[in-house]
């Protein structure tokens, strides 16, 4: 399973990328606004930090304007993936990007039929928003399972990128449901390393080791 970071904070991305466990990055207009810097500059910097796919979202709502923006974003670096909203116009643009060989991440997916249309349009990634569906009173992870079944039935190549991940349980459930990737906020990613029993066990081992008076080197 590929693990992406959902952030445009380059300092935080550098820190976590140093673990060697970050396969890619996703951004959105909200995250770019939080970064408070010019988008193209931030995306270029992120593409230097992480070798894998870096999603950069268009701001236009009409397909021709999305294509113009997406081509500009794709020119920033070879690992840019153009993020497009799951609208009729977005899928028209997705289809055109596919024919141009530009990778796309179709975002704001909240239903299985939407995901089916995105795959038919040639999306490289589909981003179902698990947490926001949970907030809405649905079971977000059910959508991942539905999309997995549909894509497997028809051998679609579109990768399922579980998004709007809020906690480690979401990461576990997305992995069990067969998501190809999950994009994770940095604080949730950092928490994945931790368990209180790991800390407790390590304290005990270190204390017992100290009592031996030995040194490995
Ligand atoms: O980047 C898209 C998605 O991951 C947003 O998550 O927490 O704002 O619903 P959230």
């Amino acid at each position: 399973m590929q693990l992406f970071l959902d952030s445009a904070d380059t300092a935080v991305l550098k820190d976590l990328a140093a673990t060697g466990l970050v396969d890619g990055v996703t951004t959105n207009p909200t995250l770019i606004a939080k970064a408070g810097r010019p988008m193209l500059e931030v995306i270029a910097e992120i593409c230097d930090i992480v070798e894998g796919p870096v999603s950069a979202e268009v701001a236009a709502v009409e397909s021709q304007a999305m294509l113009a923006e997406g081509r500009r974003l794709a020119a920033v670096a070879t690992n840019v993936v153009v993020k497009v909203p799951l609208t009729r116009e977005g899928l028209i643009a997705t289809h055109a990007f596919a024919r141009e060989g530009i990778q796309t991440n179709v975002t704001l997916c909240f239903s299985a039929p939407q995901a089916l249309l995105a795959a038919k349009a040639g999306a490289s990634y589909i981003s179902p928003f698990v947490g926001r569906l949970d907030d809405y009173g649905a079971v977000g992870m059910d959508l991942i399972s539905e999309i997995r079944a549909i894509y497997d039935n028809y051998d679609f190549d579109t990768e399922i990128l579980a998004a709007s991940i809020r906690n480690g349980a979401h990461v576990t459930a997305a992995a069990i449901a067969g998501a190809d990737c999950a994009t994770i906020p940095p604080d949730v990613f950092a928490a994945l390393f931790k368990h209180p029993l790991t800390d407790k066990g390590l304290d005990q081992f270190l204390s017992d080791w100290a009592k031996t008076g030995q040194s490995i080197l």
Side-chain angles (χ1 to χ4, degrees):
M1 187 190 204
Q2 299 161 75
L3 299 181
F4 295 175
L5 284 170
D6 197 26
S7 173
D9 183 327
T10 53
V12 168
L13 292 174
K14 262 183 209 153
D15 177 55
L16 284 169
T19 63
L21 298 172
V22 177
D23 299 302
V25 172
T26 55
T27 65
N28 61 37
T30 304
L31 295 170
I32 293 291
K34 267 189 210 160
R37 294 168 50 202
M39 177 180 184
L40 295 183
E41 184 185 299
V42 176
I43 295 297
E45 204 177 317
I46 296 172
C47 288
D48 278 343
I49 296 169
V50 178
E51 277 180 28
V54 174
S55 290
E57 188 160 344
V58 297
V61 292
E62 187 274 323
S63 60
Q64 288 307 313
M66 286 180 188
L67 285 168
E69 288 185 357
R71 290 179 191 124
R72 180 70 190 87
L73 292 168
V76 169
T78 53
N79 52 335
V80 166
V81 173
V82 177
K83 208 170 175 187
V84 174
L86 207 160
T87 58
R88 178 178 155 141
E89 290 295 308
L91 294 189
I92 291 170
T94 299
H95 191 248
F97 282 132
R99 280 185 297 189
E100 291 180 24
I102 291 178
Q103 297 253 105
T104 50
N105 173 1
V106 175
T107 189
L108 290 166
C109 173
F110 293 96
S111 79
Q114 284 184 318
L116 174 60
L117 294 180
K120 286 183 71 70
S124 314
Y125 300 89
I126 183 71
S127 288
F129 275 32
V130 172
R132 290 194 198 183
L133 273 170
D134 286 354
D135 296 344
Y136 191 67
V139 179
M141 210 51 70
D142 287 353
L143 179 56
I144 303 287
S145 304
E146 289 170 3
I147 299 172
R148 180 75 282 153
I150 292 167
Y151 283 9
D152 288 350
N153 280 349
Y154 299 98
D155 284 333
F156 284 120
D157 292 333
T158 304
E159 294 194 52
I160 303 173
L161 204 182
S164 188
I165 293 286
R166 302 279 169 76
N167 50 54
H170 274 160
V171 177
T172 305
I176 290 170
D180 298 289
C181 351
T183 188
I184 307 170
D187 57 334
V188 175
F189 194 102
L192 297 180
F193 291 91
K194 295 183 171 295
H195 194 286
L197 291 179
T198 304
D199 295 340
K200 188 177 173 209
L202 185 58
D203 284 349
Q204 182 73 56
F205 287 157
L206 292 177
S207 141
D208 291 343
W209 175 249
K211 287 178 207 152
T212 69
Q214 297 182 45
S215 153
I216 293 173
L217 295 177

